[in-house]
Amino acid sequence: MSILWYFLFPLVFLNFNFKKASIREQIVRYVFGFVYAFIAFYLVNVDRSLSFVLSNLKWIAIFQLIFTVVAGLEMRGNTLVTRHGYKMKWPAIVFTALFLGSVFYSSMPQIYGGTKKLYNMAGVKESNEQSPSINTENIIIIPPETAYYQMQTLIGSLPNPSLYEIGQLSLTQTKEGAYYVAPIDIDSSFRAFLNKELPGIAYVSAERLEDAKLIEIPHSYGESLVLDHNIYRKLREYKPSSILMNADVELDDDLTPYYVGTYGSYKYGRKGLVPEGVVLYNLKTGEIKEYPKDQVPTWVDQIYTTEIAEQYNIYYGKYKNGFLNSIIGKKDVQIPTYWNSGVELPGLSIESNQVVPVVGSDGQMYFFTDHTNTNADSTTMTGYTLMNTRTGETIYYKTPSLLNGQGAMNSIEKLLGAEKANWATAQPILYNIYGIDTWIVPVINKTDGSFVKLGLVTAKSRYSIVADNKLDLLEAFKKAIADGTVNNGADVKVGNDLELQEVTVEGKLVRINQSVEDGSSVFYLKLDTVPDKIFMVNKNVDADVVLARDGDTVKIKYIDMEQQEIIPVIEFTLSI
């Protein structure tokens, strides 16, 4: 049925005065219309809908006006005059009216002063409370630049590696944690004409520093493939009249990769995206299924896409008091922050520079972004939003005068010293860690994006530290909270609401085991005097831990925290 659009849409380009129009003129007009339809429906792959027609009437009206004027003029000697008996007044009035009507439709709701409707449709709830405290296991420490660097190492293992590149990165949540995932794409459109298959999917942890993995699974549809093998054209077959949004790769609970394409519609003219469901393409079986919004499988993370999250954050931040106020008065106007590490890696493609996917305290995925005032150089925020990527529920947490992401990056850069010439900060994310609003800021190599260190900055007291890994960083942070260092030199203090305290215990080793994590040796041990706790000792704490054996007497110091299953040790002494 959708093929008819290619042949029916050009009819609106014809001269409707069929008696006076010549066959030659009508053929030329129809060819123009067909080319327009081909570009729109095939190359651009837009929706085949009344909404598209109404929004494009302005271009058709301009075309008709030009042809009407050209057809109504002729040369008499050296003078260009209107043809005898040719009337242009009424066609000009009609097509001008169509043009204005189409502009009105495309500019809804701003054009009639209804911009506040966009603000309301975002449905953002405001809160003066902190967001729930995060499980530190779910903290995202790997920025997209590092994930891309790690995935690049997989290309060399493929046949004809020069043919491929890493596609757009997205974040997916699995039973094993959060992973960056990206398709292995063809590196140019020209080469894509000669290839109709892609080799697989790359993925790497976003929570731990580890090697990237490759899922070798040849598939016939992808974003880099052309013509009918393009994933968006394949999805269009299933939803011809809907708006297609981001199509990202996600992993299900068995690590089977799918393309997840959200479809929906506009609420006002061609503005205000509303998701209505998803289309899933199973890369393993080639099966494609469509699911309404309320029946989407539970493993799918993103029903609301980064595109929707960006728009809703803008609607909420700018249009509370209308369109004109967002330009002139700017009362209560706040803008989402756009992130950029300043590290340009050729080929790196991410979903958004404005919203960042994170795992919340409930284990679900959210889009995070902080808001600041309209001053581009501001280093304080007005608040931040968390949008549930499945339900769209969004909460704006008010944090006036707290340090924003750019300010956090600046704070960490000051700690880098001379290495600032070689290293850069990337993708700051705000978490509630131990009851304190805290920025986690990765530090990466400017040359290739590889992970170097991890930074932490408290948004209120602006205490900042850098460590080699997440374990050392969090232990140093807990110690700073316990001894009050977190407030040194701060105008605004943060409280030790969890009442963290240093505890020293002595006992005999009941069990000790060694493991390697993030390239460092880590020892797990149990003491007879504290049988309900498991302690973790990094070799950097004390080298004697390597010599410890079951039955040895040891003394350890740690920061006591309730409901913590594994407790890192900050001091270790072996009695020999």
Side-chain angles (χ1 to χ4, degrees), residues 11 83-84 89 148 238 287 337 363 377 386 425 427 429 572:
L11 295 178
R83 287 183 181 179
H84 180 69
K89 179 180 178 181
Y148 179 74
Y238 289 80
E287 183 180 26
T337 303
D377 298 323
L386 288 173
T425 52
Q427 188 174 277
I429 302 177
F572 176 90

Side-chain angles (χ1 to χ4, degrees), residues 139-282:
I139 292 175
I140 304 297
I141 68 167
I142 304 298
E145 292 85 352
T146 300
Y148 179 74
Y149 164 77
Q150 293 171 299
M151 290 179 179
Q152 284 280 73
T153 61
L154 300 174
I155 298 294
S157 65
L158 298 171
N160 302 317
S162 61
L163 185 63
Y164 302 111
E165 66 178 2
I166 300 298
Q168 179 175 280
L169 274 67
S170 57
L171 198 73
T172 184
Q173 174 76 338
T174 72
K175 291 180 178 179
E176 305 299 323
Y179 286 92
Y180 287 104
V181 59
I184 306 295
D185 279 340
I186 305 294
D187 75 344
S188 72
S189 298
F190 176 76
R191 291 181 177 182
F193 276 102
L194 305 176
N195 294 273
K196 298 181 180 179
E197 190 175 79
L198 297 173
I201 299 297
Y203 70 100
V204 67
S205 175
E207 301 168 349
R208 302 172 297 278
L209 186 62
E210 60 184 31
D211 293 335
K213 298 181 177 67
L214 176 66
I215 302 176
E216 295 188 56
I217 185 166
H219 52 284
S220 302
Y221 301 99
E223 191 169 353
S224 65
L225 294 178
V226 296
L227 303 177
D228 291 340
H229 287 272
N230 180 272
I231 183 63
Y232 286 100
R233 291 198 180 95
K234 188 63 180 177
L235 298 179
R236 177 60 71 195
E237 292 179 14
Y238 289 80
K239 303 302 297 183
S241 62
S242 297
I243 306 301
L244 294 183
M245 302 169 218
N246 309 46
D248 297 320
V249 178
E250 292 190 24
L251 304 177
D252 69 5
D253 293 335
D254 299 319
L255 300 185
T256 300
Y258 287 77
Y259 260 108
V260 179
T262 297
Y263 65 85
S265 60
Y266 291 110
K267 190 169 184 178
Y268 304 105
R270 299 291 281 187
K271 291 185 178 65
L273 281 171
V274 178
E276 297 171 348
V278 301
V279 180
L280 301 183
Y281 165 47
N282 186 320

Side-chain angles (χ1 to χ4, degrees), residues 4 43 45 167 222 262 274 307 314 374 384 398 405 426 430 445 562:
L4 292 177
L43 296 183
N45 197 35
T262 297
V274 178
E307 183 180 5
I314 291 173
T374 54
Y384 62 94
K398 297 180 180 180
L430 186 71
N445 192 302
E562 295 181 1

